[in-house]
């Protein structure tokens, strides 16, 4: 369904919703063979050489349309149309270079179009799409224009501010593009797609090894267990041939392939068992793998952080514009008043007012914000890499911190993706630790022998990934792993070997006869020569409830053999039930020693009087760290749910073990088919209540993600298969498994979990929250700087002060360099574990909350008061009036204001380490970067004032060196920011604007609850409306049935009145009217029988006068005419049917037909009513 819908999306861009479950039928022409290619359909000279189109083959695989295959003449007919052979493959002239090239032109090459990596320039262009960067670019142009174009500003190096803004923009863009480019290169190295693996194809009757890229449509491919399917194809032949299609379909069970039930082979899947051959039908972009790959070339949407930043930047921009307009208006009013008082009408002043206003807008823009965000995300990305999280989208670092929902796969994420024997019933005892500690060598040796010999599976070490691969039946692999555990525990006298223990066991016991598993037998047996000689030993394993009944003895764990009594059978059945109830797959293992020689074994397995070795419980166990990771995520307010294709019993058991389902909490367990049948409103009402979605399809996961996002949730998803790609792409944050994940899953995701561990997701949440908190800390710091700088310049302009206290270069240092260093300092602070104790920020949490507004307002008020006092009373307070001319005094005063302002920002930066906590110095020793930047900031300020300030450059750009007293005043006022910050945190929060995180969360929850209630109410209203329509329909149906019954009764009565009744089934009133000789009712008058016979022969209705019966003569007369008058309805119906074949109907036949039709109609009506009643009962029982 996913592939079909993906293809529909690609071909029809106007369709909304990329992965619909809806099946769209193609209009099929009445051509007897839909696979045939006409010359008009080919569209190319190459296509004319084959009798089947690439499109038809693609549809055949996508739709699993066996009818198309049947119409082509089956596998052999399809092979003929593709000019290949089911035994020789491509052969003869088809192997010529020209013929192979024609085949490539007709059907394509087996090459996949992976989303191309973005170039560095494209990444730079993407960075320019940020709204803050765009506003900074405009500000840079304005600043450069004024600074370079106006002489007075040019003399004071006013253009430096514009240059600095350009430098900041270039730094941010290059930094972000560089980070993105480097992580893209790392990802490509990690996800090095190995499309050119070796494939065995049959060409000219011989097996050749070619690369996957050389496989063509029509090739006969040979596959064995462990092979990857290189392209789509049709199964030809094989033995015990099974494919693992979990990567494409999400189906955890291996799928058996044959020519009748399921002949379709899918690219990207692997062979789990057996061997076989297939004919390739679709390659490259037309294969299932290629179709899904095309859907991944989609640009991601905005993140919650980007949405919040856009709002904030617009708000700050409006604040700056408002301040600028007010400044210009105040200056104009002052200019008009001065002009009216005779101080002149200097027109150039208006230009000066306009320049000052624009400067205020530039000052208001938070230039350091993009640097803070980029540095914070980059720092988090580097740290997350150490925590086994490869971040593909930088924004995903922060988004994960806002995540409220985590839809996790079971297999490989919560569990180890390794079927394992976890429980067992041996010797009448239950064990939950494997291997059993009290097992003797004799018992362990017999158990290992049975597991090794009676198996087709194999184990293989993957050196690159450091894991053991399971090849073949996953259940048998679990038993082989148990053998390894027995050897590691020193049990069973297994010989030391560098290889797996089962290899030596198999080599020591040659298989004499194997009785394969079938769905009817539900067991598998293997016979070997008896180790004692002279006979055979049969090992058997299979469905526990069946094999256990075949046992008459039982081996104890000490190696002794005892009788298997009825009480033991009851205990064994109880153990089977107990293990099955916890989601375990049970398997019974037994053996029997036979006197029959290996060469004389019968065709049917001699499976009787078995000796029971034990019953094992097998499952895919959860990872050791899963429960703790789920606890951390739940504690952090993230709702963890399991979305799996497994059955509901297994899924529920795993969910309880992992801590996803907790007794006493609201947690809904649903199955995919039930979820799919719900209406849209019903799905919305349960989307966030679900804790386990079992038997789910990839479409279910995608639907769930879309529903949760529509409800305002920030959704994260884990996935490892190709089928998970749509949900990974659609989610706010998609996690792909680095080890078990397919290349397509990694292409679609935002973060790759390198160790396939859910605990890495918990760390991702921690780092994501730290990024968001760091951005908040920086904003708290930057907003104070901007508010004070804008307000100070605004008040100075309104007061008529010509030389602004913060000139261009000092303002540049404060507003850019210092902010950038502040961003680096606050963005590189390590995360606090306390972040995992709070609820997620969610999609609607404000970027600046009420606590931040409190800190910003109080700190800004303090700094602004200090600056204004120094501005208007500083000359007196610092005794500057008699120390030089007016320009010197103003320059020195502005230098003190500048230095004091910087010192206040240094201590404000320390204050900004915390938002609501009081202990601002907590763990500061663990932040060496922060301490270094504070020291560097102070050192740079000293160098500026005392170094540059003593040169000719200092006075030219707006500051000079200071005395020791002025330095002490500046530092002392600066340290005042610390107690002011403490006082701010102690002030009642209700006095300040904005929302707290709790209020925002509560509002979001209320909105979500309201949305759920609205959805539930809408679903209920929809259900009630449907029920009302159903009741109306039912009432109408009842009325129509009653009317039909009345009409039928009237017609029947009319027939009784007018029609002739014959035979023993005549109505009672006919019998009561008297009888003729041997008949019923009245005898016919002489001649009446002939007349009636004539009427009947003519096919006319016979009018009756009174009650008329038939005598024996008349009966004979009618029998002569072909009637069967035996008196049974069956005979009458036979007669009627005989006549009906000749299309001749007599009156009696018509009457009989009317009666029969009426009865059949009544029967149909009764069935309809019964069906309706069942429908109503089912609906009521389901709560619909």
């Amino acid at each position: 369904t996913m592939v079909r819908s993906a293809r529909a999306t690609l071909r029809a861009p106007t369709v909304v919703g990329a992965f619909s479950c809806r099946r769209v039928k193609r209009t099929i022409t009445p051509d007897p063979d839909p696979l045939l290619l006409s010359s008009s359909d080919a569209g190319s000279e190459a296509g004319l050489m084959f009798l089947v189109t690439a499109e038809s083959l693609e549809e055949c695989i996508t739709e699993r349309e066996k009818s198309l295959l049947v119409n082509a003449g089956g596998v052999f007919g399809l092979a003929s149309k593709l000019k290949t052979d089911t035994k020789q493959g491509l052969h003869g002239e088809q192997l010529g270079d020209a013929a192979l090239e024609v085949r490539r032109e007709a059907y394509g090459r087996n090459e996949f179009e992976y989303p191309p990596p973005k170039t560095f320039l494209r990444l730079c262009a993407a960075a320019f799409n940020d709204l803050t960067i765009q506003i900074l670019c405009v500000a840079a142009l304005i600043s450069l224009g004024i600074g370079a174009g106006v002489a007075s500003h040019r003399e004071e190096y006013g253009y430096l501010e514009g240059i600095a803004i350009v430098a900041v923009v270039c730094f941010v863009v290059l930094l972000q593009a560089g980070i993105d480019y480097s992580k893209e290169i790392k990802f490509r190295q990690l996800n090095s797609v190995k499309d050119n693996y070796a494939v065995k194809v049959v060409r000219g009757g011989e097996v050749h090894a070619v690369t996957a890229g050389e496989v063509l449509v029509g090739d006969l491919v040979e596959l064995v267990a462990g092979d990857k399917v290189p392209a789509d194809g049709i199964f030809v032949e094989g033995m015990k041939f099974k494919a693992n299609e979990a990567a494409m379909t999400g189906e955890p069970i291996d799928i058996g392939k044959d020519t009748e039930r399921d002949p379709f082979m899918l690219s990207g899947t692997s062979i789990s068992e057996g061997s076989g051959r297939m004919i390739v039908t679709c390659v490259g972009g037309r294969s299932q793998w290629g179709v899904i790959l095309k859907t991944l070339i989609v640009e991601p949407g905005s993140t919650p952080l980007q949405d919040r930043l856009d709002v904030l930047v617009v708000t700050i921009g409006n604040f700056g514009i408002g301040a600028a307009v007010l400044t210009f208006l105040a200056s104009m009013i002052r200019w008009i008043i001065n002009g009216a008082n005779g101080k002149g009408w200097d027109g150039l002043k208006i230009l000066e007012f306009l320049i000052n206003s624009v400067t205020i807008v530039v000052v208001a823009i938070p230039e350091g914000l993009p640097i803070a965000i980029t540095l914070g995300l980059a720092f988090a990305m580097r740290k997350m890499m150490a925590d086994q999280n490869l971040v593909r989208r930088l924004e995903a670092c922060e988004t994960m911190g806002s995540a409220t929902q985590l839809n996790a796969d079971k297999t490989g994420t919560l569990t180890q993706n390794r079927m394992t024997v976890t429980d067992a019933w041996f010797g009448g005892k239950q064990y939950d630790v494997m291997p059993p500690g009290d097992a003797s060598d004799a018992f362990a040796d017999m158990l290992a022998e049975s597991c090794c010999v009676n198996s087709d599976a194999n184990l293989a070490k993957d050196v690159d990934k450091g894991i053991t691969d399971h090849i073949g039946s996953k259940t048998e692999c679990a038993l082989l792993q148990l053998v390894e555990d027995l050897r590691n525990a020193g049990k069973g006298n297994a010989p030391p070997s560098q290889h797996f223990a089962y290899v030596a066991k198999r080599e020591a016991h040659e298989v004499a006869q194997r009785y394969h598993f079938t769905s009817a037998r539900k067991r598998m047996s293997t016979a070997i020569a008896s180790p004692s000689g002279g006979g055979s030993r049969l090992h058997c394993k299979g469905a526990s409830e069946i094999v256990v009944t075949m046992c008459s003895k039982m081996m104890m764990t000490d190696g002794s053999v005892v009788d298997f009594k009825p009480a033991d059978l009851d205990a064994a059945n109880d153990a089977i039930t107990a293990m099955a109830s916890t989601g375990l797959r049970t398997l019974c293992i037994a053996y029997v020693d036979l006197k029959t020689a290996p060469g004389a074994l019968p065709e049917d397995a001699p499976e009787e009087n078995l000796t029971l070795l034990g019953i094992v419980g097998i499952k895919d166990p959860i990872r050791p760290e899963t429960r703790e990771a789920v606890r951390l995520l739940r504690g952090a307010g993230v709702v963890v749910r399991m979305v799996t294709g497994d059955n509901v019993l297994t899924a529920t058991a795993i969910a309880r073990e992992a801590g996803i389902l907790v007794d006493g909490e609201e947690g809904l367990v649903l199955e995919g088919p039930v979820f799919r049948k719900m209406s849209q409103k019903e799905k919305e009402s349960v989307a966030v209540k679900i804790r386990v979605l079992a038997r789910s399809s990839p479409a279910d996961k995608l639907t769930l993600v879309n529903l949760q996002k529509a409800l305002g949730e920030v959704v994260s998803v884990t996935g490892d298969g190709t089928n998970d790609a749509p949900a990974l792409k659609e989610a706010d944050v998609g996690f792909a498994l680095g080890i078990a994940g397919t290349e397509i899953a990694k292409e679609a995701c935002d973060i790759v979990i390198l160790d396939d561990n859910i605990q890495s997701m918990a760390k991702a949440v921690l780092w994501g929250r730290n990024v968001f908190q760091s951005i908040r800390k920086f904003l708290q710091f930057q907003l104070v700087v901007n508010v004070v700088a804008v307000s100070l310049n605004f008040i100075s302009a309104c007061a008529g002060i010509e030389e602004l206290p913060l000139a261009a270069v000092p303002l540049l240092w404060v507003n850019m360099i210092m902010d950038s260093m502040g961003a680096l300092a606050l963005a590189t602070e390590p995360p606090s574990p306390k972040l995992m104790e709070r609820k997620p920020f969610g999609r609607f949490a404000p970027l600046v909350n009420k606590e931040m507004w409190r800190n910003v307002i109080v700190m800004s008020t303090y700094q602004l008061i200090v600056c204004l006092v120094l501005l208007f009373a500083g000359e007196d307070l610092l005794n500057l009036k008699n120390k030089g001319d007016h320009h010197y005094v103003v320059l020195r005063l502005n230098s003190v204001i500048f230095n004091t302002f910087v010192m206040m920002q240094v201590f404000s930066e320390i204050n900004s380490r915390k938002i609501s906590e009081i202990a601002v110095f907590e763990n500061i020793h663990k932040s060496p970067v922060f301490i270094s930047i504070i020291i560097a900031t102070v050192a740079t300020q000293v160098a500026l004032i005392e170094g540059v300030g003593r040169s000719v450059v200092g006075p030219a750009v707006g500051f000079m060196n200071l005395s020791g007293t002025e330095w002490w005043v500046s530092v002392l006022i600066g340290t005042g920011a610390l107690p002011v910050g403490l006082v701010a945190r102690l002030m009642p929060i209700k006095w300040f604007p904005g929302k707290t995180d709790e209020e925002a969360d509560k509002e979001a929850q209320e909105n979500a609850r309201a949305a759920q209630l609205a959805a539930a109410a809408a679903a209920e209203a929809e259900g009630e409306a449907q029920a009302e329509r159903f009741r109306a329909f039912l009432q109408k149906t009842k009325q129509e049935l009653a009317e039909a019954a009345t009409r039928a009764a009237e017609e029947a009565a009319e027939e009784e009145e007018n029609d002739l009744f014959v035979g023993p089934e005549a109505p009672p009133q006919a019998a009561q009217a008297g009888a003729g000789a041997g008949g019923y009712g009245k005898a016919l008058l002489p001649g009446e029988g002939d007349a009636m016979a004539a009427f009947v022969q003519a096919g006319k209705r016979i009018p009756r006068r009174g009650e008329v019966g038939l005598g024996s003569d008349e009966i004979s007369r009618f029998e002569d005419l072909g009637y069967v008058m035996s008196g049974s309805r069956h005979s009458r119906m036979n007669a009627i049917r005989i006549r009906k074949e000749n299309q001749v109907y007599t009156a009696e036949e018509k009457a009989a037909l009317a009666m029969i039709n009426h009865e059949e109609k009544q029967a149909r009506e009764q069935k309809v009513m019964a069906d309706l009643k069942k429908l109503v009962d089912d609906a009521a029982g389901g709560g619909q």
Side-chain angles (χ1 to χ4, degrees):
T1 305
M2 176 182 65
V3 177
R4 183 187 312 118
S5 303
R7 180 174 290 108
T9 304
L10 292 168
R11 292 177 176 172
T14 55
V15 177
V16 178
F19 295 94
S20 169
C21 292
R22 199 172 148 211
R23 173 176 281 225
V24 181
K25 286 291 183 182
R26 188 169 64 95
T27 302
I28 299 177
T29 61
D31 191 300
D33 186 348
L35 286 172
L36 286 180
L37 171 67
S38 65
S39 58
S40 60
D41 293 333
S44 71
E45 202 172 305
L48 291 172
M49 297 193 65
F50 302 99
L51 297 177
V52 57
T53 65
E55 291 79 6
S56 297
L57 291 171
E58 183 181 354
E59 182 184 11
C60 179
I61 296 291
T62 302
E63 303 285 349
R64 313 293 195 275
E65 284 286 355
K66 284 191 287 188
S67 61
L68 296 176
L69 184 60
V70 171
N71 290 334
V75 175
F76 300 102
L78 177 62
S80 175
K81 289 179 170 58
L82 289 173
K83 297 193 175 181
T84 185
D85 187 80
T86 58
K87 297 296 182 184
Q88 300 184 65
L90 297 178
H91 59 284
E93 62 181 16
Q94 290 299 316
L95 291 176
D97 292 339
L100 292 177
E101 187 58 35
V102 169
R103 190 175 291 271
R104 291 188 191 99
E105 289 181 15
Y107 297 111
R109 300 173 184 271
N110 199 30
E111 296 172 354
F112 300 102
E113 299 176 11
Y114 286 92
K118 294 180 179 178
T119 63
F120 184 77
L121 290 177
R122 188 178 173 192
L123 291 171
C124 289
F128 268 109
N129 289 333
D130 185 85
L131 180 61
T132 309
I133 295 294
Q134 293 170 351
I135 292 176
L136 283 177
C137 290
V138 174
L141 290 175
I142 295 172
S143 183
L144 283 171
I146 293 173
V150 180
S152 59
H153 284 263
R154 187 168 60 250
E155 292 170 1
E156 296 180 358
Y157 307 99
Y159 52 82
L160 287 178
E161 185 171 9
I163 293 174
I165 295 176
V166 171
V168 167
V169 168
C170 292
F171 173 75
V172 170
V173 169
L174 293 175
L175 176 63
Q176 183 157 345
I179 292 170
D180 288 342
Y181 189 69
S182 64
K183 64 184 174 63
E184 189 70 19
I185 291 175
K186 287 179 184 177
F187 173 75
R188 294 294 163 183
Q189 292 171 349
L190 167 80
N191 200 26
S192 52
V193 182
K194 300 174 183 177
D195 284 337
N196 283 329
Y197 49 89
V199 178
K200 288 177 287 185
V201 299
V202 179
R203 290 181 178 175
E206 298 179 354
V207 177
H208 299 269
V210 300
T211 62
E214 296 177 276
V215 172
L216 300 173
V217 170
D219 261 328
L220 184 64
V221 177
E222 200 168 85
L223 298 164
V224 296
D227 285 349
K228 182 178 178 181
V229 181
D232 294 347
I234 299 294
F235 174 81
V236 175
E237 60 183 0
M239 179 181 293
K240 292 187 66 179
F241 197 64
K242 290 185 178 180
N244 183 347
E245 297 183 349
M248 293 296 292
T249 65
E251 177 59 55
I253 301 172
D254 294 341
I255 308 298
K257 298 293 179 178
D258 56 44
T259 55
E260 297 299 325
R261 288 176 299 177
D262 188 356
F264 303 106
M265 305 293 295
L266 307 180
S267 55
T269 63
S270 59
I271 305 306
S272 58
E273 190 175 345
S275 60
R277 291 179 171 185
M278 75 168 196
I279 286 181
V280 176
T281 57
C282 299
V283 295
R286 291 191 180 277
S287 68
Q288 307 295 280
W289 184 276
V291 168
I292 297 174
L293 202 56
K294 292 176 186 176
T295 66
L296 304 184
I297 310 175
V298 181
E299 289 300 320
S302 62
T303 66
L305 176 62
Q306 290 170 329
D307 296 338
R308 294 187 185 104
L309 285 173
D310 289 347
V311 172
L312 178 68
V313 168
V314 170
T315 303
I316 292 175
N318 291 337
F319 166 72
I321 292 172
V325 171
L326 289 175
T327 300
F328 182 76
L329 290 176
S331 300
M332 285 298 297
I333 292 171
R334 189 178 185 84
W335 180 73
I336 292 171
I337 293 173
N338 290 337
N341 292 334
K343 294 184 179 181
W345 299 88
D346 187 359
L348 291 177
K349 287 287 185 181
I350 298 176
L351 179 61
E352 191 71 25
F353 298 156
L354 183 61
I355 291 171
N356 289 340
S357 300
V358 172
T359 302
I360 287 176
V361 175
V362 174
V363 169
I365 297 170
E367 293 89 347
L369 184 57
I371 295 179
I373 294 169
T374 304
L375 289 177
L377 292 174
F379 178 73
M381 186 194 76
R382 188 166 60 85
K383 292 295 185 181
M384 287 173 70
M385 185 69 181
D387 286 337
Q388 302 300 307
N389 286 304
L390 173 61
V391 180
R392 296 202 59 219
R393 284 185 65 209
L394 207 56
E395 301 83 1
C397 296
E398 179 279 329
T399 308
M400 193 57 205
S402 301
T404 58
Q405 306 287 325
L406 172 59
N407 300 313
D409 262 359
K410 177 184 75 70
T411 305
T413 306
L414 300 173
T415 64
Q416 300 174 22
N417 195 21
R418 286 288 181 274
M419 295 302 287
T420 308
V421 178
T422 59
D423 294 64
W425 190 82
F426 292 141
K429 292 171 60 178
Q430 185 72 35
Y431 295 87
D432 56 5
V433 176
M434 292 288 108
D438 60 352
S440 65
D441 286 340
F443 176 81
D445 184 63
M446 183 62 74
L447 179 63
E449 180 183 297
S450 185
C451 293
C452 297
V453 171
N454 192 22
S455 169
D456 290 327
N458 289 282
L459 303 179
K461 290 181 179 178
D462 190 324
V463 179
D464 295 335
K465 296 181 179 179
I467 60 175
T468 300
D469 284 336
H470 289 181
I471 303 172
S473 167
K474 301 298 185 287
T475 303
E476 291 184 353
C477 288
L479 296 177
L480 294 183
Q481 195 65 54
L482 175 62
V483 174
E484 298 302 314
D485 295 340
L486 286 169
R487 181 176 72 168
N488 295 336
K491 297 182 180 297
N493 298 319
S497 172
Q498 295 181 346
H499 302 291
F500 292 107
Y502 77 90
V503 177
K505 283 283 186 185
R506 287 184 182 173
E507 289 176 350
H509 300 287
E510 184 179 352
V511 175
Q513 177 80 347
R514 179 156 288 166
Y515 303 95
H516 288 291
F517 177 93
T518 66
S519 57
R521 282 167 36 80
K522 295 189 182 299
R523 58 191 180 276
M524 171 183 178
S525 296
T526 301
I528 60 174
S530 177
S532 60
S536 304
R537 176 174 289 169
L538 184 77
H539 288 288
C540 178
K541 72 169 185 288
S544 302
E545 65 278 6
I546 295 176
V547 177
V548 75
T549 61
M550 299 176 175
C551 297
S552 60
K553 290 182 173 58
M554 176 170 62
M555 178 177 278
M556 308 301 287
T557 52
D558 61 2
S560 62
V561 177
V562 299
D563 289 337
F564 190 59
K565 301 176 182 177
D568 297 324
L569 178 60
D570 293 339
N573 284 324
D574 290 342
I576 294 169
T577 303
M579 284 190 276
S581 65
T582 58
L584 296 178
R585 184 181 299 173
T586 63
L587 200 68
C588 186
I589 303 173
Y591 78 98
V592 61
D593 285 323
L594 305 169
K595 295 181 180 179
T596 310
L601 289 167
E603 291 186 6
D604 294 331
E607 297 160 338
E608 55 186 15
N609 296 320
L610 303 178
T611 300
L612 176 65
L613 286 172
I615 299 163
V616 294
I618 301 174
K619 71 173 181 180
D620 183 6
I622 68 169
R623 293 175 175 271
E625 61 277 358
T626 292
R627 190 171 182 86
E628 176 61 17
V630 171
R631 186 193 66 78
L632 282 172
L633 290 167
R634 283 168 56 88
V638 181
V639 176
V640 183
R641 73 176 46 78
M642 180 196 297
V643 184
T644 177
D646 257 353
N647 65 75
V648 69
L649 188 65
T650 302
T652 302
I654 295 293
R656 290 193 182 282
E657 190 177 354
I660 294 173
L661 276 178
V662 179
D663 292 335
E665 292 186 6
E666 181 185 8
L668 189 61
V669 178
L670 271 184
E671 290 184 290
V674 176
F675 180 70
R676 286 192 289 273
K677 290 178 183 177
M678 289 181 170
S679 67
Q680 180 68 16
K681 298 299 182 183
E682 288 172 331
K683 289 177 182 176
E684 289 175 4
S685 65
V686 301
V688 295
K689 295 179 182 178
I690 297 173
R691 292 297 176 271
V692 176
L693 186 60
R695 293 178 59 206
S696 63
S697 67
D700 294 334
K701 184 184 285 190
L702 181 63
T703 301
L704 195 61
V705 168
N706 286 326
L707 286 168
Q708 290 167 352
K709 288 180 69 175
L711 291 171
E713 304 288 337
V714 179
V715 185
S716 56
V717 167
T718 72
D720 58 351
T722 302
N723 59 332
D724 294 318
L728 288 170
K729 198 75 177 175
E730 185 65 28
D732 293 300
V733 182
F735 287 92
L737 306 188
I739 298 174
T742 64
E743 290 87 347
I744 288 187
K746 295 174 195 173
E747 287 283 356
C749 75
D750 303 299
I751 298 175
V752 180
I753 308 172
L754 299 177
D755 58 356
D756 290 10
N757 194 332
I758 191 175
Q759 198 164 36
S760 300
M761 291 181 224
K763 294 175 182 176
V765 171
L766 177 62
W767 277 108
R769 293 186 176 186
N770 189 62
V771 168
F772 188 75
Q773 197 77 344
S774 297
I775 293 171
R776 275 186 161 181
K777 292 174 184 177
F778 173 75
L779 271 175
Q780 182 175 267
F781 168 67
Q782 169 113 48
L783 287 175
V784 170
V785 176
N786 286 31
V787 167
V788 174
V790 169
S791 301
L792 185 61
N793 279 6
F794 168 66
I795 293 172
S796 301
C798 292
I801 298 175
E802 295 185 0
E803 294 187 37
L804 297 178
L806 295 178
V809 174
L811 196 60
L812 173 67
W813 162 238
V814 170
N815 209 30
M816 291 185 190
I817 310 302
M818 189 174 166
D819 283 357
S820 301
M821 295 177 71
L824 183 60
L826 294 170
T828 53
E829 288 237 272
S832 168
K834 293 180 180 178
L835 288 172
M836 293 298 284
E837 297 173 5
R838 57 154 296 144
K839 292 183 178 180
F841 297 108
R843 191 177 295 276
F844 303 108
L847 197 56
V848 182
N849 62 11
K850 185 172 278 193
E851 290 90 344
M852 293 172 65
W853 280 122
R854 176 186 62 188
N855 299 340
V856 169
I857 291 172
V858 173
M859 187 60 64
S860 299
T861 303
Y862 165 72
Q863 293 189 12
L864 187 59
I865 289 173
V866 167
C867 291
L868 290 176
V869 168
L870 289 176
L871 180 63
F872 292 105
E875 293 182 17
D876 296 328
L877 293 175
L878 298 174
N879 195 22
L880 298 177
K881 284 188 175 181
N882 300 321
K883 292 188 177 181
D885 58 14
H886 177 71
H887 178 73
Y888 175 85
V889 170
V890 171
L891 181 63
R892 195 169 192 86
L893 180 60
N894 285 350
S895 300
V896 173
I897 293 173
F898 167 52
N899 198 44
T900 303
F901 186 68
V902 170
M903 289 299 110
M904 287 191 292
Q905 303 320 316
V906 169
F907 290 97
S908 176
E909 193 169 345
I910 297 174
N911 248 330
S912 296
R913 291 187 69 243
K914 305 292 179 182
I915 292 177
S916 56
E917 299 92 334
I918 293 176
V920 294
F921 287 98
E922 182 184 11
N923 293 327
I924 196 171
H925 61 284
K926 295 181 180 179
S927 302
V929 176
F930 182 89
I931 295 173
S932 301
I933 288 175
I934 291 293
I935 294 172
T937 303
V938 174
T940 306
Q941 180 65 16
V942 172
L944 275 174
I945 295 296
E946 297 303 322
V948 180
R950 292 179 185 274
S951 67
V952 294
V953 177
V957 296
F959 61 85
M960 61 181 295
N961 61 303
L962 300 177
S963 66
T965 303
E966 291 165 344
W967 266 107
W968 276 112
V969 169
S970 299
V971 173
L972 188 63
I973 293 174
T975 56
L978 293 176
V980 169
L982 175 62
V983 171
R985 287 171 173 81
L986 296 175
M987 297 175 73
I989 195 70
K990 62 182 181 181
W991 293 356
F992 299 92
K995 296 176 183 176
T996 64
D997 287 343
E998 291 74 18
E999 290 171 347
D1001 180 63
K1002 183 179 179 182
E1003 183 178 333
Q1005 286 185 358
E1006 289 176 352
N1007 291 338
R1009 199 176 299 112
Q1012 289 179 19
L1013 291 174
E1020 186 178 351
E1022 183 181 335
E1024 183 58 35
Q1026 188 175 2
E1028 184 61 37
R1029 289 194 298 271
F1030 182 76
R1031 283 193 291 269
F1033 164 74
L1034 198 61
Q1035 185 62 34
K1036 182 180 178 183
T1037 303
K1038 286 180 179 179
Q1039 185 176 351
E1040 289 177 353
L1041 291 176
E1043 292 175 355
T1046 302
R1047 285 197 303 271
E1050 291 173 353
E1051 289 173 3
E1054 184 180 349
E1055 294 291 341
E1056 267 189 32
E1057 287 294 325
N1058 300 318
D1059 288 349
L1060 173 68
F1061 288 92
V1062 295
E1065 292 190 8
Q1069 63 266 33
Q1072 294 169 4
Y1080 299 93
K1082 287 183 180 180
L1084 295 175
L1085 297 175
E1088 285 184 335
D1090 293 336
M1092 286 186 174
F1095 271 95
V1096 169
Q1097 257 184 325
K1100 298 178 181 178
R1101 296 175 67 91
I1102 302 174
R1104 291 176 49 201
R1105 52 181 182 77
E1107 297 292 339
V1108 178
L1110 292 176
S1112 57
D1113 294 339
E1114 285 73 21
I1115 290 175
S1116 299
R1117 189 78 56 84
F1118 277 96
E1119 286 176 342
D1120 291 339
L1121 294 175
Y1123 289 95
V1124 180
M1125 311 300 274
S1126 62
S1128 70
R1129 177 173 301 156
H1130 180 70
S1131 300
R1132 294 177 65 185
M1133 288 176 65
N1134 282 341
I1136 291 168
R1137 285 175 184 148
I1138 293 169
R1139 290 263 177 177
K1140 189 173 180 182
E1141 290 175 3
N1142 300 324
Q1143 297 298 312
V1144 177
Y1145 297 93
T1146 65
E1148 189 212 15
E1149 288 172 343
K1150 292 179 180 179
L1153 278 174
M1155 180 177 65
I1156 293 167
N1157 290 339
H1158 176 59
E1159 291 173 353
E1160 289 179 349
K1161 185 177 180 183
Q1162 282 185 321
R1164 287 197 301 271
E1165 290 166 354
Q1166 289 171 0
K1167 185 177 183 305
V1168 169
M1169 293 301 294
D1171 290 343
L1172 291 175
K1173 184 178 185 302
K1174 185 177 183 302
L1175 182 63
V1176 173
D1177 292 342
D1178 290 346
Q1184 299 176 12

